[in-house]
Amino acid sequence: MSGQAEVREVREVREDLEASSGSATAMLRTVVGSTLRPLGGWMSAAGAVELMAALGVPAATARSSLARLCARGVLVREPRDAVAGYALDPAAVPMLERGDARIFGERAAPASWCLVSFSFPEHQRAQRHRLRRTLAALGCGTVADGLWIGPDALESELAEVAHAFGADLFTGSHLAMPSTPDLSSALARWYDLPAIRGLHESFLSRFQSAPPPADDRDAFALWIRLLDEWRVIPYRDPGLPAEALPADWPGAASAALFARLNAALAGPALAFAAGTARADRDASAPR
């Protein structure tokens, strides 16, 4: 496999990880990304099923989701001390670390922009489609058919993409921020602002009135659902400048809510995960 194909394969796995939320496999990806590294990179098969049970996922569905993550290069089957279990695939760790930076990182307004320019002949339509999907998944907007734009915080990721696909990346002071009125108009053309607004408002609606968890198990379930729904948002809204958005834009409120709940829930949630992930009893036994 060529270097370019390897980068593309990893990128497509990453895109799949970040593209959606809510399904059993998506929640398991969130469990893996948020708990496995703090717990040493391994969990028993029974423990994984029990963690998913805390999210209301049946054992059979949990096992199917585990198999999918193994097929996608996120987990590997690895027994320890005669106990069936799963470890992180080392190749997935950089992907998860990049995800951490986006999900938990500071959402600073851009100082300038990056442009990605590309053109593919008709017989490379599939390649063109993959690149568009990748740019959209990273949080870029569309200026024209072969010209995409993103804030300067995406420069390192876009450089990797441009290299893998043979596209051109333009950065620097000549792409500085336009005036606020011009930028407001441009953002409405580049990005699907109503859809992004909907993501923020849905997040606020779901979690603003969430009752306090009764115990660590409840904290774990709420934390994973919080992460699973939030993790999509920084990729759709990669820190768009507030001064160029409508006055009632809900982005700051949803980011503040996420930060507050994450700080409150992470400790008890990880305590529950630590006590559950290494369970070696029969996961099919009645609970």
Side-chain angles (χ1 to χ4, degrees), residues 212-228:
D215 52 27
D216 287 358
R217 181 185 175 94
D218 281 353
F220 172 81
L222 180 57
W223 187 56
I224 293 300
R225 292 190 177 101
L226 178 86
L227 294 177
D228 190 59

Side-chain angles (χ1 to χ4, degrees), residues 77-189:
R77 292 177 176 84
E78 183 179 302
R80 293 188 181 180
D81 298 326
V83 175
Y86 297 86
L88 275 176
D89 188 320
V93 173
M95 171 186 65
L96 295 174
E97 290 175 343
R98 287 193 296 263
D100 288 347
R102 183 75 73 100
I103 294 165
F104 300 104
E106 182 181 357
R107 293 171 60 75
S112 62
W113 296 87
C114 302
L115 288 173
V116 179
S117 175
F118 57 90
S119 177
F120 293 100
E122 186 59 22
H123 70 273
Q124 292 185 336
R125 282 183 298 172
Q127 182 86 332
R128 181 172 63 234
H129 178 64
R130 279 195 294 267
L131 176 53
R132 288 172 175 166
R133 287 177 57 205
T134 300
L135 293 171
L138 287 176
C140 289
T142 310
V143 178
D145 185 51
L147 186 64
W148 288 59
I149 193 164
D152 55 353
L154 305 185
E155 181 175 347
S156 62
E157 294 178 280
L158 293 178
E160 179 186 349
V161 171
H163 174 74
F165 284 89
D168 295 313
L169 175 65
F170 301 95
T171 65
S173 58
H174 60 289
L175 296 174
M177 302 283 284
S179 66
T180 297
D182 291 341
L183 183 57
S184 296
S185 176
L187 287 178
R189 296 193 306 271

